[in-house]
Amino acid sequence: MKHYLGTVAYRGTSYSGFQRQSSLRTIQGELERALSTLNDSPSQIKGAGRTDAKVHAKGQTFSFYAHQIKDFDKYINIFNSLLPDDIALLSIKEIDDNFDARHSCSGKKYEYRFCFGKKDPFKSEYEAYLGNRDFDVDAFMDAYDVFLGVHDFKNFTTKKEDKDNFIRDIYQIKPTYDPSRKAISILFYSNGFMTYQIRLMVGALLKVGFKKMSKIDIKERLDSPKRNIFSYKAKAEGLTLMEVIYG
């Protein structure tokens, strides 16, 4: 058997997250079902990370073992024929046995999209609709950089324990505003993200936009030595894993 790394895209709307769950429909479960058919034996994969229920991906990665693949394009086509229409294997490549899809990762990029203007049913599956309401774009745009750099994000994750003491380095946060739709997309690039971290950070920024809190309030929560987890999570459907970075 050979070791491979696959890149997959999916709409998370109909799934209970990436991670395999015995009684629920998941992305990992569908991938393993297809791989088991191709391998003609029960087979498992290892994902680069877990996405929540209803979260999407354009560049999730996973490692797996399979019989030697001689024609990658043909293998991808057969693999995709065994998957639901909302999941697609994009590429595969052979990797060393010591490669780990999760622990060999050096960074991840996510995008969060939301709209506070007119509802568009053709976009609502991939962005959070907040209602047609007043939103202070300037305050939002002024506040996001509070999360840039190295911080202790213990109050922006529900994770109980962390081997890195909740320390993460956010390299880039890049928001884009579309005034015609009153919609914002915001790119996050970091060496890693923890459970609900992006949705809690976006939740805090949304509170600023709705004038329920300030940038100073976020900074105080971020710098606090006491654990006091932020309680407002942005909706899952607005989040997409864009890329998993190695090397």
Side-chain angles (χ1 to χ4, degrees), residues 111-115 123 126-129 181 183-186 237-240:
E111 183 183 46
Y112 194 89
R113 305 176 69 91
F114 65 93
C115 175
K123 295 182 181 294
Y126 302 101
E127 68 181 14
Y129 180 62
R181 296 188 56 245
I184 291 177
S185 66
I186 182 165
E237 56 264 34
L239 187 60
T240 299

Side-chain angles (χ1 to χ4, degrees), residues 67-238:
H67 303 292
Q68 185 174 9
I69 302 171
K70 296 181 179 180
D71 186 332
F72 281 6
D73 289 338
K74 182 178 179 180
Y75 187 89
I76 290 171
N77 287 336
I78 295 173
F79 203 118
N80 280 329
S81 72
L82 299 171
L83 292 172
D85 291 340
D86 49 7
I87 304 176
L89 179 64
L90 303 178
S91 66
I92 51 175
K93 66 178 182 179
E94 189 171 347
I95 51 177
D96 294 335
D97 281 338
N98 60 2
F99 183 93
D100 188 289
R102 180 180 178 186
H103 297 295
S104 297
C105 163
S106 60
K108 290 181 181 177
K109 291 183 179 180
Y110 278 86
E111 183 183 46
Y112 194 89
R113 305 176 69 91
F114 65 93
C115 175
F116 52 93
K118 292 182 180 179
K119 188 173 185 178
D120 185 341
F122 295 101
K123 295 182 181 294
S124 59
E125 189 170 18
Y126 302 101
E127 68 181 14
Y129 180 62
L130 307 181
N132 194 353
R133 56 195 293 193
D134 292 334
F135 188 85
D136 191 333
V137 176
D138 290 336
F140 178 94
M141 293 297 188
D142 180 63
Y144 74 82
D145 64 357
V146 74
F147 291 119
L148 280 169
V150 180
H151 296 283
D152 178 346
F153 287 96
K154 64 178 175 297
N155 289 328
F156 291 89
T157 177
T158 58
K159 193 176 184 182
K160 293 182 179 180
E161 296 179 346
D162 182 67
K163 66 180 181 65
D164 296 313
N165 297 315
F166 304 102
I167 304 297
R168 295 294 186 276
D169 187 356
I170 297 187
Y171 309 134
Q172 181 185 39
I173 302 176
K174 184 179 180 181
T176 303
Y177 177 49
D178 179 357
S180 66
R181 296 188 56 245
K182 294 184 177 180
I184 291 177
S185 66
I186 182 165
L187 177 71
F188 294 89
Y189 175 28
S190 173
N191 63 341
F193 296 98
M194 295 173 286
T195 308
Y196 297 137
Q197 183 180 342
I198 294 177
R199 290 172 62 191
L200 289 170
M201 290 191 301
V202 173
L205 294 173
L206 292 179
K207 288 282 190 181
V208 172
F210 291 130
K211 299 181 180 179
K212 301 293 185 182
M213 62 187 300
S214 69
K215 180 178 182 177
I216 293 174
D217 294 330
I218 296 178
K219 191 174 189 310
E220 288 178 351
R221 183 69 66 93
L222 190 61
D223 294 340
S224 174
K226 296 182 180 179
R227 186 139 206 220
N228 181 17
I229 300 170
F230 192 75
S231 60
Y232 179 65
K233 286 199 300 285
K235 295 179 178 179
E237 56 264 34

